[in-house]
Amino acid sequence: MSFIRWLISKTIQTFLGSAYERRSRAVAKEREDGTFEGASATQARNFEDRYAAAVRLLRTRIDQEFPDAYYARLSSGRNSSYDYGQDRALAVDTMSIAIAMALRNGATVQQAANAGAASIGI
């Protein structure tokens, strides 16, 4: 009886497995060519676009509150001996996490930008 089950399973695997392999190879070729469009690819691209838009909304506010090292030395009213680079990097990391979480939870671009600003206190 076990031999018959084994034979049936190998027969099914031969027919269905080869169809699956052909489909997998076709999808892999389409991905390599850049022509594959699956649901997850569209969602990922949409997320990236929305994330980039939220960051663009906050860029000016981040630059004013956490200047990079170049502007920190040239700006009046700032302590030129203080290195703002580490504070800026921490703020960008925190903001990025907040924006990504908000977008994953279904927030709009403006809501995600507000969540990012609130996370770093600007």
Side-chain angles (χ1 to χ4, degrees):
M1 192 69 163
S2 64
F3 176 74
I4 294 173
R5 284 185 183 170
W6 178 82
L7 185 61
I8 290 171
S9 69
K10 286 298 181 181
T11 305
I12 290 172
Q13 184 181 9
T14 301
F15 289 116
L16 295 180
S18 62
Y20 179 75
E21 285 179 22
R22 283 193 305 271
R23 178 65 185 144
S24 295
R25 286 185 187 134
V27 169
K29 184 171 178 7
E30 288 176 3
R31 284 187 180 173
E32 287 175 1
D33 294 340
T35 59
F36 179 75
E37 287 293 328
S40 62
T42 305
Q43 289 174 351
R45 187 169 38 246
N46 188 25
F47 175 81
E48 290 172 4
D49 292 341
R50 292 172 55 211
Y51 177 84
V55 170
R56 278 193 303 271
L57 287 173
L58 289 177
R59 184 169 306 269
T60 304
R61 292 168 64 185
I62 292 169
D63 288 343
Q64 289 174 352
E65 188 69 26
F66 302 100
D68 62 10
Y70 177 75
Y71 290 115
R73 281 178 285 172
L74 297 178
S75 310
S76 61
R78 296 277 186 181
N79 182 359
S80 61
S81 63
Y82 184 74
D83 183 16
Y84 291 93
Q86 199 166 26
D87 292 341
R88 182 182 176 93
L90 181 62
V92 168
D93 287 346
T94 305
M95 176 198 68
S96 296
I97 292 168
I99 289 173
M101 289 177 61
L103 289 174
R104 294 273 183 213
N105 290 330
T108 64
V109 171
Q110 185 63 43
Q111 290 170 337
N114 290 340
S119 71
I120 57 175
I122 59 172

